[in-house]
Amino acid sequence: MIDIAGGIEPDDLEPDVLGDLVSLYRRWQSD
Amino acid sequence: MADSDAALVDALRAGDEAAFVSLVRMYHPRLLRFAETLVPTRAVAEEVVQDTWLGVVRGIHKFEGRSSVRTWLFRVLVNRARSAGAHEPRSVPLDHEDALEGRFAANGHWSHPPDAWSERVDSKLVADQLAKRVRACLPQLPASQRQVMTLRDIEGIDAAETCELLGVSVANQRVLLHRARSRMRSILEVELSASRRISRSANTASNISRRSAP
């Protein structure tokens, strides 16, 4: 079987997107 | 629940930010790609995925582990997308022009199962390249086919969970997956024959210039 998912990079995520989500996470945790 | 999922869930419940970051790194791009098949614009898809993460953080205490974390994430996403106005899935008619006639028996099972198109690829390199092309060509499929192919062939979610996530019947899921794979195969065949033509033209041009060189 071809592993079509293989090669999807976990780091295929822009740093500012991750930063925004971490900020939101901290806010959600403190709510 | 798998051990790795159980550890992740425990960490998330304990408010472990590193566990959240790890989950986001692993799934955010995949959730976003899938969200784009459910809602009309990229902007709405981004909102839906952000809303999904909120749902995950708020809902992790209610997660019972009856499915994998991955399936649960996609379930939260689908629910959030529906709240954001995603189109409800439609039933797929089993007729017409796409050469499916005779492929299914009255009970909805294959009359003659299709060849497993991916099993003839033995070279890892070829398989990796093909997998990349499949992912790159996915946007050329209609949304409903893309949804099923993404969940089944990319995420590896089983048929029953795919039906539940998308709210389609087993028969419809099967038809959508078959259509998606057939269409993908056609797209890849066209690409392959085009690249062979280009390669042949380049070889011919190279031979001519070699022969005409002084």
Side-chain angles (χ1 to χ4, degrees), chain B residues 102-123:
Chain B
R103 301 296 299 270
F104 295 100
N107 62 4
H109 290 245
W110 291 108
S111 306
H112 305 287
D115 290 341
W117 60 278
S118 56
E119 284 173 3
R120 289 190 296 261
V121 180
D122 350 338
S123 151

Short mmCIF file of all heavy atoms in Angstrom, two decimals, chain B residues 102-123:
data_model
loop_
_atom_site.label_atom_id
_atom_site.label_comp_id
_atom_site.label_asym_id
_atom_site.label_seq_id
_atom_site.Cartn_x
_atom_site.Cartn_y
_atom_site.Cartn_z
N GLY B 102 -22.98 -1.83 -13.06
CA GLY B 102 -22.51 -3.20 -13.05
C GLY B 102 -21.39 -3.44 -12.05
O GLY B 102 -21.00 -4.57 -11.83
N ARG B 103 -20.87 -2.36 -11.43
CA ARG B 103 -19.76 -2.57 -10.49
C ARG B 103 -20.28 -2.99 -9.11
O ARG B 103 -19.55 -3.54 -8.32
CB ARG B 103 -18.93 -1.28 -10.33
CG ARG B 103 -18.33 -0.77 -11.62
CD ARG B 103 -17.32 -1.76 -12.20
NE ARG B 103 -16.19 -2.01 -11.32
CZ ARG B 103 -15.07 -1.31 -11.32
NH1 ARG B 103 -14.92 -0.31 -12.16
NH2 ARG B 103 -14.08 -1.62 -10.50
N PHE B 104 -21.58 -2.67 -8.84
CA PHE B 104 -22.13 -3.00 -7.54
C PHE B 104 -23.29 -3.99 -7.66
O PHE B 104 -24.11 -3.87 -8.56
CB PHE B 104 -22.64 -1.74 -6.82
CG PHE B 104 -21.53 -0.78 -6.49
CD1 PHE B 104 -21.29 0.33 -7.28
CD2 PHE B 104 -20.72 -1.00 -5.39
CE1 PHE B 104 -20.27 1.20 -6.98
CE2 PHE B 104 -19.69 -0.14 -5.08
CZ PHE B 104 -19.46 0.98 -5.88
N ALA B 105 -23.36 -4.92 -6.71
CA ALA B 105 -24.49 -5.83 -6.67
C ALA B 105 -25.65 -5.14 -5.96
O ALA B 105 -25.49 -4.04 -5.43
CB ALA B 105 -24.07 -7.09 -5.91
N ALA B 106 -26.81 -5.81 -5.96
CA ALA B 106 -28.00 -5.20 -5.36
C ALA B 106 -27.80 -4.91 -3.88
O ALA B 106 -28.41 -3.99 -3.33
CB ALA B 106 -29.19 -6.13 -5.55
N ASN B 107 -26.95 -5.68 -3.22
CA ASN B 107 -26.73 -5.47 -1.78
C ASN B 107 -25.72 -4.37 -1.50
O ASN B 107 -25.34 -4.13 -0.36
CB ASN B 107 -26.29 -6.77 -1.11
CG ASN B 107 -24.97 -7.29 -1.67
OD1 ASN B 107 -24.36 -6.63 -2.51
ND2 ASN B 107 -24.57 -8.46 -1.22
N GLY B 108 -25.24 -3.69 -2.56
CA GLY B 108 -24.31 -2.59 -2.35
C GLY B 108 -22.86 -3.03 -2.33
O GLY B 108 -21.96 -2.19 -2.31
N HIS B 109 -22.58 -4.33 -2.42
CA HIS B 109 -21.19 -4.78 -2.43
C HIS B 109 -20.65 -4.77 -3.86
O HIS B 109 -21.41 -4.73 -4.82
CB HIS B 109 -21.10 -6.20 -1.86
CG HIS B 109 -21.38 -6.24 -0.37
ND1 HIS B 109 -20.45 -6.60 0.56
CD2 HIS B 109 -22.49 -5.92 0.33
CE1 HIS B 109 -20.96 -6.52 1.77
NE2 HIS B 109 -22.21 -6.10 1.65
N TRP B 110 -19.32 -4.81 -3.98
CA TRP B 110 -18.73 -4.84 -5.32
C TRP B 110 -19.16 -6.11 -6.05
O TRP B 110 -19.12 -7.20 -5.47
CB TRP B 110 -17.20 -4.86 -5.24
CG TRP B 110 -16.57 -3.61 -4.74
CD1 TRP B 110 -15.98 -3.41 -3.54
CD2 TRP B 110 -16.46 -2.38 -5.46
NE1 TRP B 110 -15.51 -2.13 -3.46
CE2 TRP B 110 -15.79 -1.47 -4.62
CE3 TRP B 110 -16.86 -1.95 -6.72
CZ2 TRP B 110 -15.50 -0.16 -5.00
CZ3 TRP B 110 -16.58 -0.66 -7.10
CH2 TRP B 110 -15.92 0.22 -6.26
N SER B 111 -19.53 -5.99 -7.33
CA SER B 111 -19.71 -7.19 -8.15
C SER B 111 -18.34 -7.77 -8.44
O SER B 111 -18.10 -8.96 -8.31
CB SER B 111 -20.38 -6.83 -9.48
OG SER B 111 -21.56 -6.14 -9.26
N HIS B 112 -17.43 -6.89 -8.89
CA HIS B 112 -16.03 -7.29 -9.12
C HIS B 112 -15.18 -6.24 -8.43
O HIS B 112 -15.12 -5.11 -8.92
CB HIS B 112 -15.71 -7.30 -10.62
CG HIS B 112 -16.66 -8.16 -11.39
ND1 HIS B 112 -16.61 -9.53 -11.33
CD2 HIS B 112 -17.70 -7.84 -12.19
CE1 HIS B 112 -17.58 -10.01 -12.10
NE2 HIS B 112 -18.25 -9.01 -12.62
N PRO B 113 -14.55 -6.59 -7.35
CA PRO B 113 -13.78 -5.56 -6.63
C PRO B 113 -12.73 -4.93 -7.53
O PRO B 113 -12.14 -5.62 -8.37
CB PRO B 113 -13.10 -6.36 -5.50
CG PRO B 113 -13.88 -7.61 -5.38
CD PRO B 113 -14.47 -7.89 -6.72
N PRO B 114 -12.52 -3.62 -7.40
CA PRO B 114 -11.52 -2.96 -8.23
C PRO B 114 -10.12 -3.41 -7.82
O PRO B 114 -9.91 -3.85 -6.70
CB PRO B 114 -11.71 -1.48 -7.89
CG PRO B 114 -12.33 -1.47 -6.55
CD PRO B 114 -13.13 -2.73 -6.43
N ASP B 115 -9.19 -3.26 -8.77
CA ASP B 115 -7.80 -3.57 -8.42
C ASP B 115 -7.35 -2.61 -7.34
O ASP B 115 -7.73 -1.45 -7.34
CB ASP B 115 -6.88 -3.34 -9.64
CG ASP B 115 -7.15 -4.38 -10.69
OD1 ASP B 115 -7.73 -5.42 -10.34
OD2 ASP B 115 -6.79 -4.13 -11.86
N ALA B 116 -6.56 -3.11 -6.42
CA ALA B 116 -5.96 -2.21 -5.43
C ALA B 116 -4.86 -1.45 -6.14
O ALA B 116 -3.76 -1.95 -6.34
CB ALA B 116 -5.41 -3.02 -4.27
N TRP B 117 -5.19 -0.24 -6.60
CA TRP B 117 -4.30 0.49 -7.51
C TRP B 117 -2.96 0.81 -6.89
O TRP B 117 -1.99 1.04 -7.56
CB TRP B 117 -4.97 1.77 -8.00
CG TRP B 117 -5.34 2.70 -6.90
CD1 TRP B 117 -6.45 2.64 -6.13
CD2 TRP B 117 -4.60 3.83 -6.44
NE1 TRP B 117 -6.45 3.65 -5.22
CE2 TRP B 117 -5.33 4.40 -5.40
CE3 TRP B 117 -3.38 4.42 -6.83
CZ2 TRP B 117 -4.90 5.53 -4.72
CZ3 TRP B 117 -2.96 5.54 -6.16
CH2 TRP B 117 -3.71 6.08 -5.12
N SER B 118 -2.92 0.81 -5.56
CA SER B 118 -1.66 1.20 -4.93
C SER B 118 -0.75 0.02 -4.64
O SER B 118 0.38 0.20 -4.27
CB SER B 118 -1.97 1.94 -3.64
OG SER B 118 -2.76 1.14 -2.82
N GLU B 119 -1.27 -1.21 -4.82
CA GLU B 119 -0.48 -2.34 -4.37
C GLU B 119 0.56 -2.79 -5.37
O GLU B 119 1.41 -3.60 -5.07
CB GLU B 119 -1.40 -3.50 -4.01
CG GLU B 119 -2.08 -3.25 -2.66
CD GLU B 119 -3.11 -4.28 -2.33
OE1 GLU B 119 -3.27 -5.23 -3.11
OE2 GLU B 119 -3.77 -4.11 -1.30
N ARG B 120 0.46 -2.25 -6.59
CA ARG B 120 1.43 -2.67 -7.59
C ARG B 120 2.71 -1.83 -7.53
O ARG B 120 3.62 -2.03 -8.29
CB ARG B 120 0.80 -2.58 -8.98
CG ARG B 120 -0.26 -3.65 -9.20
CD ARG B 120 -0.67 -3.70 -10.64
NE ARG B 120 -1.30 -2.46 -11.04
CZ ARG B 120 -2.61 -2.30 -11.09
NH1 ARG B 120 -3.41 -3.28 -10.77
NH2 ARG B 120 -3.12 -1.15 -11.46
N VAL B 121 2.69 -0.85 -6.66
CA VAL B 121 3.87 0.01 -6.57
C VAL B 121 4.83 -0.58 -5.54
O VAL B 121 4.53 -0.65 -4.38
CB VAL B 121 3.46 1.42 -6.12
CG1 VAL B 121 4.68 2.32 -6.03
CG2 VAL B 121 2.44 1.99 -7.08
N ASP B 122 5.98 -1.09 -6.03
CA ASP B 122 6.88 -1.75 -5.09
C ASP B 122 7.99 -0.81 -4.63
O ASP B 122 8.50 -0.95 -3.54
CB ASP B 122 7.52 -3.00 -5.69
CG ASP B 122 6.93 -3.40 -6.99
OD1 ASP B 122 5.80 -2.99 -7.21
OD2 ASP B 122 7.56 -4.12 -7.77
N SER B 123 8.38 0.13 -5.48
CA SER B 123 9.50 0.97 -5.10
C SER B 123 9.06 2.03 -4.09
O SER B 123 8.09 2.73 -4.30
CB SER B 123 10.06 1.65 -6.35
OG SER B 123 10.63 2.87 -6.01
#
